[in-house]
Amino acid sequence: MSEELHRQWESEQASLKLRLVDSDTEAWQRSPSFSGLQRVGGVDLSFIKGDDVNACAQLVVLSYPEMELLYEDCRMVTLSAPYVAGFLAFRETPFLVEAVQRLESETPSLLPQVIFVDGNGLFHYREFGLACHLGVLTGLPCIGVAKNLLQVQGVENSERHKEQIKELQNRGDTFPLEASSGRVLGKALKSSDRSTKPLYVSVGHRISLDTALRLTTACCKYRIPEPIRQADIRSREYLRKHFPEGSEEGATAGREREGRAAGIRSL
């Protein structure tokens, strides 16, 4: 990656960050039962095995609280931007934004009221990850949900962190992800009574952290929120059907491959 492109991306990221809203903006967000929330979205990319360029970009919209499929959009895309730690959004977000725009143009009545993103939001090197990018660019509330810990701003996978995970006893239990500055960038969430691994939840756009945590918990039939889980399942199914010899890794392994050097997925 050239220094010029690095500076350009940093500048664009900083400019977009000025538009970020990290508080509740919708009436349903303030309701204890999320009254008025009817549609929740999820996005994900799955990669062909051994191929970091060609991927399946998936958007799903589910009914809330039933979690039944209302809409899906699945497209093969070619990623032209390089992978650079901290700038994943510039590589993946354009295709996710296009999927949302297609839905808004073709069937606006099914536009999701919130989108779950398989990645980080404020819990990021510069407090502006993939979920923030997607939220600001689409104008929709977004929640970042990461499966693995991004070790950033003083948050580390230390013995203390591991002890805090063990102290999560019940579904909905959390502990803060606090930066060296003292700012809480997100929280670790026990999303299922059966799960021993937390999710790392952070604000993407137009939602507060507390509301993001409540809604994430409410959308979990299993460890992963159903909108993200369905996006992952359906993108994997597409690759298995159309690329049977190269679909074994799917979304999770493909993204872990991107962050292998650091043992994490850098967003």
Side-chain angles (χ1 to χ4, degrees):
M1 180 185 186
S2 68
E3 290 186 11
E4 181 180 355
L5 182 58
H6 190 279
R7 287 194 297 269
Q8 177 186 333
W9 281 0
E10 277 195 333
S11 176
E12 288 182 25
Q13 205 169 57
S15 178
L16 289 171
K17 187 178 177 182
L18 295 175
R19 296 158 54 186
L20 177 69
V21 177
D22 61 359
S23 58
D24 292 329
T25 62
E26 309 302 303
W28 63 260
Q29 295 169 336
R30 302 181 182 93
S31 166
S33 61
F34 299 116
S35 176
L37 178 61
Q38 298 178 319
R39 299 174 306 281
V40 293
V43 293
D44 195 26
L45 263 73
S46 289
F47 290 84
I48 298 173
K49 184 177 181 179
D51 186 342
D52 285 332
V53 174
N54 296 293
C56 176
Q58 181 82 37
L59 165 67
V60 300
V61 181
L62 308 182
S63 63
Y64 183 88
E66 300 85 3
M67 295 295 144
E68 295 176 353
L69 184 69
L70 299 175
Y71 173 91
E72 68 173 314
D73 181 292
C74 183
R75 301 285 176 99
M76 287 301 298
V77 299
T78 300
L79 285 70
S80 58
Y83 169 72
V84 181
F87 295 100
L88 181 66
F90 290 95
R91 181 170 161 85
E92 296 189 3
T93 301
F95 307 105
L96 302 178
V97 171
E98 287 175 5
V100 173
Q101 290 174 338
R102 280 193 297 271
L103 170 55
E104 187 172 18
S105 174
E106 297 168 5
T107 319
S109 62
L110 293 180
L111 194 69
Q113 293 162 277
V114 60
I115 298 178
F116 286 87
V117 179
D118 181 16
N120 291 300
L122 286 179
F123 186 48
H124 176 265
Y125 299 92
R126 288 166 296 281
E127 300 178 19
F128 199 79
L130 182 60
C132 298
H133 273 258
L134 184 63
V136 168
L137 291 174
T138 62
L140 296 173
C142 283
I143 300 172
V145 181
K147 303 181 188 76
N148 301 303
L149 178 68
L150 179 65
Q151 300 186 65
V152 62
Q153 295 204 39
V155 180
E156 299 179 351
N157 190 24
S158 61
E159 289 304 315
R160 174 54 184 153
H161 184 82
K162 294 173 183 176
E163 285 299 321
Q164 287 177 301
I165 291 175
K166 291 179 182 178
E167 292 168 3
L168 298 175
Q169 297 296 314
N170 302 308
R171 183 172 185 263
D173 286 354
T174 67
F175 65 82
L177 303 169
E178 188 173 324
S180 301
S181 64
R183 177 169 164 80
V184 174
L185 303 179
K187 288 191 176 183
L189 167 70
K190 184 177 178 67
S191 57
S192 166
D193 286 327
R194 295 184 178 182
S195 177
T196 57
K197 293 185 63 178
L199 297 175
Y200 297 97
V201 179
S202 57
V203 169
H205 183 52
R206 291 183 56 194
I207 196 166
S208 68
L209 180 56
D210 286 346
T211 302
L213 289 161
R214 286 196 300 119
L215 185 57
T216 300
T217 304
C219 289
C220 285
K221 292 183 178 180
Y222 307 98
R223 177 184 175 233
I224 307 302
E226 201 63 13
I228 292 176
R229 180 172 171 271
Q230 287 299 322
D232 176 59
I233 289 172
R234 292 169 186 279
S235 58
R236 288 171 182 261
E237 286 178 349
Y238 182 91
L239 291 182
R240 275 194 292 268
K241 180 179 179 180
H242 293 88
F243 303 91
E245 301 301 318
S247 62
E248 293 302 315
E249 293 191 7
T252 301
R255 292 189 166 189
E256 286 177 350
R257 181 173 62 247
E258 288 185 332
R260 181 175 291 170
I264 53 173
R265 176 167 174 255
S266 302
L267 306 175

